[in-house]
Amino acid sequence: MHRVSANGANIPAIGLGTWTLKDEVATELVAGALKSGYRHVDTAAMYENEEAVGAGLRASGVPRDEVFLTSKVWPTDIAEGDLQRSVEASLKRLGTDYLDLALIHWPSKSIPLAESINALNDVRDRGLARNIGVSNFTSVLIEEATALSKHPLACNQVEHHPFLNQDRVKAACAKQAMALVSYCPLARGSELFEAPEVAGPAQSYGKTPAQIVLRWHVQQEGVVAIPRSSNADRIRQNFEVFDFALTSEEMSSISALRSRNYRICDFEFSPEWDRD
């Protein structure tokens, strides 16, 4: 299985995103994904599905130590003490003793970063998470967080797809030997899938447009993708991207779509994003 090594973490390059998946549906999809070969599952306290995700892990029959499990702490809960309690509560809901990766879900504009990073390090020191990292951090925040952290940070999980220029964040991650984990890796679909730069290779290789885009992700150094789908067949298809390779020209033409700079997840609490 293709994996990305990042500061001690060994992250499967395709994972299952679970945002919006709930209850029995989430349990069935997680179990099905693991049975079809996935070994990486991503959830968060904010998703309100950790119980269902944990049930899916158990229902799959795949041993816990073979699954790379990530969860995230919401920014209102990243103060000293609150962050540790949030991770403990996630573990209880998931029905596991540890996370493979614990992330700060978003940076906070009110809680000092040093305090949050210290609490995150304590989670690792206590064995609640084997690796720690961040999510939705800009290049400047990556520099600040890594300077503050006793333990190396394994990743920055950010929105990343061909329609969004994340070159600065990617470079900042590479400088710190961190993985870039792509959420919304397919830019939620149709318009990207119809782009000739994606549709052409899909026809040439006999693959779906989604598979072409996911191959674009995993073919980049240090990049992991966590596509989400509520369709079991698409979940299986999303994992079938390791039996072909895009040419350098195809990679470049897809990457050139970033000039659009289309961002899906942008909220009032978002940081000041990197700009060209």
Side-chain angles (χ1 to χ4, degrees):
M1 179 186 295
H2 181 49
R3 292 174 179 261
V4 170
S5 294
N7 287 330
N10 195 22
I11 312 173
I14 292 286
L16 178 69
T18 64
W19 186 26
T20 76
L21 303 181
K22 302 283 189 179
D23 305 325
E24 293 84 3
V25 170
T27 297
E28 291 172 8
L29 291 174
V30 168
L34 291 169
K35 289 176 183 177
S36 68
Y38 282 75
R39 290 297 180 269
H40 177 185
V41 177
D42 180 275
T43 184
M46 188 273 285
Y47 298 173
E48 298 181 342
N49 65 4
E50 287 173 313
E51 294 94 339
V53 168
L57 293 175
R58 292 184 290 277
S60 73
V62 176
R64 170 67 186 91
D65 62 4
E66 292 183 15
V67 180
F68 192 93
L69 179 61
T70 300
S71 194
K72 301 181 280 293
V73 180
W74 195 244
T76 54
D77 298 323
I78 59 174
E80 175 63 40
D82 290 343
L83 188 148
Q84 294 95 321
R85 283 187 288 273
S86 178
V87 172
E88 289 169 345
S90 288
L91 294 175
K92 184 175 181 180
R93 289 188 292 266
L94 287 160
T96 186
D97 295 331
Y98 67 94
L99 295 172
D100 293 277
L101 181 60
L103 302 180
I104 292 173
H105 203 153
W106 288 83
S108 171
K109 295 179 180 178
S110 59
I111 299 167
L113 184 57
E115 180 179 343
S116 299
I117 293 296
N118 184 67
L120 191 63
N121 275 267
D122 184 52
V123 161
R124 176 167 165 171
D125 287 337
R126 290 167 55 191
L128 304 179
R130 293 184 172 177
N131 303 279
I132 55 175
V134 294
S135 181
N136 295 298
F137 274 42
T138 63
S139 59
V140 170
L141 287 172
I142 290 169
E143 292 284 347
E144 293 178 7
T146 53
L148 291 165
S149 188
K150 177 178 72 173
H151 293 293
L153 301 179
C155 83
N156 183 27
Q157 184 183 125
V158 292
E159 180 179 342
H160 181 223
H161 48 72
F163 279 165
L164 180 62
N165 188 342
Q166 289 284 31
D167 287 352
R168 289 190 182 182
V169 167
K170 189 180 175 189
C173 288
K175 181 180 177 182
Q176 302 295 338
M178 296 166 63
L180 187 156
V181 178
S182 309
Y183 73 75
C184 293
L186 303 175
R188 298 197 180 157
S190 60
E191 190 173 354
L192 175 60
F193 293 168
E194 293 165 4
E197 295 85 350
V198 172
Q203 187 170 16
S204 298
Y205 293 105
K207 292 288 185 177
T208 67
Q211 288 170 323
I212 296 300
V213 176
L214 291 172
R215 181 67 206 183
W216 172 83
H217 281 277
V218 302
Q219 209 166 303
Q220 297 176 66
E221 186 74 24
V223 174
V224 172
I226 48 170
R228 184 212 66 90
S229 177
S230 57
N231 182 296
D233 289 335
R234 289 200 195 98
I235 288 173
R236 284 191 292 272
Q237 289 174 358
N238 287 344
F239 194 70
E240 296 169 353
V241 297
F242 302 110
D243 57 351
F244 75 105
L246 298 171
T247 67
S248 58
E249 292 81 6
E250 289 164 341
M251 288 290 293
S252 296
S253 66
I254 295 171
S255 295
L257 295 170
R258 67 184 180 274
S259 61
R260 181 172 304 209
N261 256 331
Y262 165 63
R263 188 180 292 276
I264 297 166
C265 296
D266 195 11
F267 309 105
E268 71 280 354
F269 56 79
S270 298
E272 185 66 32
W273 299 116
D274 287 283
R275 307 287 181 189
D276 281 343

